[in-house]
mmCIF file of all heavy atoms in Angstrom:
data_model
loop_
_atom_site.group_PDB
_atom_site.id
_atom_site.type_symbol
_atom_site.label_atom_id
_atom_site.label_comp_id
_atom_site.label_asym_id
_atom_site.label_seq_id
_atom_site.Cartn_x
_atom_site.Cartn_y
_atom_site.Cartn_z
ATOM 1 N N TRP E 6 218.182 169.493 47.456
ATOM 2 C CA TRP E 6 217.167 170.326 46.820
ATOM 3 C C TRP E 6 217.784 171.620 46.313
ATOM 4 O O TRP E 6 217.518 172.036 45.186
ATOM 5 C CB TRP E 6 216.036 170.620 47.811
ATOM 6 C CG TRP E 6 214.899 171.362 47.179
ATOM 7 C CD1 TRP E 6 213.810 170.811 46.586
ATOM 8 C CD2 TRP E 6 214.748 172.787 47.045
ATOM 9 N NE1 TRP E 6 212.987 171.813 46.103
ATOM 10 C CE2 TRP E 6 213.542 173.028 46.375
ATOM 11 C CE3 TRP E 6 215.517 173.879 47.434
ATOM 12 C CZ2 TRP E 6 213.090 174.309 46.084
ATOM 13 C CZ3 TRP E 6 215.067 175.163 47.145
ATOM 14 C CH2 TRP E 6 213.860 175.354 46.478
ATOM 15 N N TRP E 7 218.612 172.247 47.127
ATOM 16 C CA TRP E 7 219.226 173.526 46.738
ATOM 17 C C TRP E 7 220.212 173.357 45.591
ATOM 18 O O TRP E 7 220.277 174.199 44.689
ATOM 19 C CB TRP E 7 219.895 174.186 47.944
ATOM 20 C CG TRP E 7 218.879 174.783 48.867
ATOM 21 C CD1 TRP E 7 218.484 174.297 50.081
ATOM 22 C CD2 TRP E 7 218.097 175.953 48.627
ATOM 23 N NE1 TRP E 7 217.505 175.099 50.615
ATOM 24 C CE2 TRP E 7 217.246 176.128 49.746
ATOM 25 C CE3 TRP E 7 218.018 176.874 47.584
ATOM 26 C CZ2 TRP E 7 216.350 177.185 49.841
ATOM 27 C CZ3 TRP E 7 217.122 177.926 47.691
ATOM 28 C CH2 TRP E 7 216.302 178.071 48.806
ATOM 29 N N ILE E 8 220.972 172.283 45.597
ATOM 30 C CA ILE E 8 221.922 172.036 44.502
ATOM 31 C C ILE E 8 221.163 171.787 43.204
ATOM 32 O O ILE E 8 221.531 172.314 42.146
ATOM 33 C CB ILE E 8 222.865 170.866 44.855
ATOM 34 C CG1 ILE E 8 223.813 171.306 45.985
ATOM 35 C CG2 ILE E 8 223.657 170.414 43.628
ATOM 36 C CD1 ILE E 8 224.618 170.170 46.582
ATOM 37 N N GLU E 9 220.093 170.984 43.275
ATOM 38 C CA GLU E 9 219.292 170.729 42.075
ATOM 39 C C GLU E 9 218.640 172.013 41.565
ATOM 40 O O GLU E 9 218.555 172.235 40.354
ATOM 41 C CB GLU E 9 218.245 169.646 42.354
ATOM 42 C CG GLU E 9 218.866 168.271 42.483
ATOM 43 C CD GLU E 9 217.882 167.196 42.883
ATOM 44 O OE1 GLU E 9 216.686 167.510 43.106
ATOM 45 O OE2 GLU E 9 218.303 166.036 42.981
ATOM 46 N N LYS E 10 218.197 172.868 42.468
ATOM 47 C CA LYS E 10 217.607 174.155 42.081
ATOM 48 C C LYS E 10 218.659 175.026 41.386
ATOM 49 O O LYS E 10 218.383 175.635 40.345
ATOM 50 C CB LYS E 10 217.060 174.863 43.324
ATOM 51 C CG LYS E 10 216.390 176.172 43.042
ATOM 52 C CD LYS E 10 215.064 175.953 42.358
ATOM 53 C CE LYS E 10 214.293 177.255 42.286
ATOM 54 N NZ LYS E 10 213.123 177.133 41.429
ATOM 55 N N LEU E 11 219.858 175.065 41.933
ATOM 56 C CA LEU E 11 220.949 175.834 41.328
ATOM 57 C C LEU E 11 221.277 175.311 39.936
ATOM 58 O O LEU E 11 221.432 176.082 38.986
ATOM 59 C CB LEU E 11 222.185 175.792 42.223
ATOM 60 C CG LEU E 11 223.420 176.524 41.721
ATOM 61 C CD1 LEU E 11 223.152 178.016 41.527
ATOM 62 C CD2 LEU E 11 224.569 176.318 42.700
ATOM 63 N N LEU E 12 221.342 173.995 39.784
ATOM 64 C CA LEU E 12 221.616 173.396 38.473
ATOM 65 C C LEU E 12 220.500 173.702 37.482
ATOM 66 O O LEU E 12 220.762 173.959 36.304
ATOM 67 C CB LEU E 12 221.815 171.884 38.599
ATOM 68 C CG LEU E 12 223.102 171.456 39.291
ATOM 69 C CD1 LEU E 12 223.102 169.946 39.516
ATOM 70 C CD2 LEU E 12 224.316 171.875 38.487
ATOM 71 N N SER E 13 219.271 173.703 37.947
ATOM 72 C CA SER E 13 218.145 174.027 37.081
ATOM 73 C C SER E 13 218.247 175.466 36.566
ATOM 74 O O SER E 13 218.021 175.734 35.378
ATOM 75 C CB SER E 13 216.841 173.826 37.854
ATOM 76 O OG SER E 13 215.751 174.300 37.116
ATOM 77 N N ILE E 14 218.601 176.374 37.447
ATOM 78 C CA ILE E 14 218.730 177.782 37.051
ATOM 79 C C ILE E 14 219.868 177.974 36.056
ATOM 80 O O ILE E 14 219.695 178.645 35.032
ATOM 81 C CB ILE E 14 218.931 178.677 38.295
ATOM 82 C CG1 ILE E 14 217.638 178.709 39.105
ATOM 83 C CG2 ILE E 14 219.359 180.088 37.894
ATOM 84 C CD1 ILE E 14 217.793 179.325 40.482
ATOM 85 N N THR E 15 221.014 177.364 36.335
ATOM 86 C CA THR E 15 222.139 177.531 35.406
ATOM 87 C C THR E 15 221.823 176.901 34.048
ATOM 88 O O THR E 15 222.197 177.441 33.015
ATOM 89 C CB THR E 15 223.445 176.941 35.974
ATOM 90 O OG1 THR E 15 223.264 175.561 36.269
ATOM 91 C CG2 THR E 15 223.896 177.688 37.219
ATOM 92 N N THR E 16 221.105 175.792 34.047
ATOM 93 C CA THR E 16 220.698 175.161 32.793
ATOM 94 C C THR E 16 219.731 176.063 32.035
ATOM 95 O O THR E 16 219.866 176.256 30.819
ATOM 96 C CB THR E 16 220.032 173.787 33.061
ATOM 97 O OG1 THR E 16 220.982 172.959 33.737
ATOM 98 C CG2 THR E 16 219.604 173.126 31.775
ATOM 99 N N ASP E 17 218.760 176.644 32.754
ATOM 100 C CA ASP E 17 217.806 177.572 32.131
ATOM 101 C C ASP E 17 218.522 178.780 31.519
ATOM 102 O O ASP E 17 218.059 179.338 30.522
ATOM 103 C CB ASP E 17 216.769 178.068 33.142
ATOM 104 C CG ASP E 17 215.790 176.984 33.563
ATOM 105 O OD1 ASP E 17 215.774 175.902 32.925
ATOM 106 O OD2 ASP E 17 215.053 177.221 34.542
ATOM 107 N N GLU E 18 219.639 179.171 32.134
ATOM 108 C CA GLU E 18 220.417 180.305 31.626
ATOM 109 C C GLU E 18 221.365 179.893 30.494
ATOM 110 O O GLU E 18 222.078 180.724 29.953
ATOM 111 C CB GLU E 18 221.206 180.952 32.760
ATOM 112 C CG GLU E 18 220.332 181.657 33.770
ATOM 113 C CD GLU E 18 221.117 182.242 34.934
ATOM 114 O OE1 GLU E 18 222.321 181.932 35.078
ATOM 115 O OE2 GLU E 18 220.526 183.020 35.705
ATOM 116 N N GLY E 19 221.375 178.600 30.161
ATOM 117 C CA GLY E 19 222.222 178.119 29.076
ATOM 118 C C GLY E 19 223.686 177.935 29.470
ATOM 119 O O GLY E 19 224.564 177.881 28.617
ATOM 120 N N ARG E 20 223.935 177.796 30.771
ATOM 121 C CA ARG E 20 225.312 177.613 31.236
ATOM 122 C C ARG E 20 225.497 176.182 31.722
ATOM 123 O O ARG E 20 224.695 175.690 32.507
ATOM 124 C CB ARG E 20 225.640 178.593 32.371
ATOM 125 C CG ARG E 20 225.618 180.041 31.942
ATOM 126 C CD ARG E 20 226.088 181.015 33.027
ATOM 127 N NE ARG E 20 225.193 181.047 34.187
ATOM 128 C CZ ARG E 20 225.524 180.612 35.404
ATOM 129 N NH1 ARG E 20 226.709 180.099 35.637
ATOM 130 N NH2 ARG E 20 224.657 180.683 36.396
ATOM 131 N N ASP E 21 226.551 175.528 31.243
ATOM 132 C CA ASP E 21 226.856 174.184 31.718
ATOM 133 C C ASP E 21 228.294 174.072 32.199
ATOM 134 O O ASP E 21 228.794 172.994 32.466
ATOM 135 C CB ASP E 21 226.550 173.125 30.656
ATOM 136 C CG ASP E 21 227.369 173.314 29.388
ATOM 137 O OD1 ASP E 21 228.175 174.253 29.326
ATOM 138 O OD2 ASP E 21 227.176 172.510 28.462
ATOM 139 N N ALA E 22 228.968 175.198 32.306
ATOM 140 C CA ALA E 22 230.343 175.239 32.813
ATOM 141 C C ALA E 22 230.565 176.606 33.450
ATOM 142 O O ALA E 22 229.784 177.536 33.227
ATOM 143 C CB ALA E 22 231.336 175.030 31.677
#
Side-chain angles (χ1 to χ4, degrees):
W6 185 90
W7 285 106
I8 291 170
E9 288 175 358
K10 182 72 171 170
L11 179 60
L12 290 173
S13 172
I14 291 168
T15 58
T16 300
D17 290 349
E18 291 177 349
R20 295 186 295 113
D21 61 0

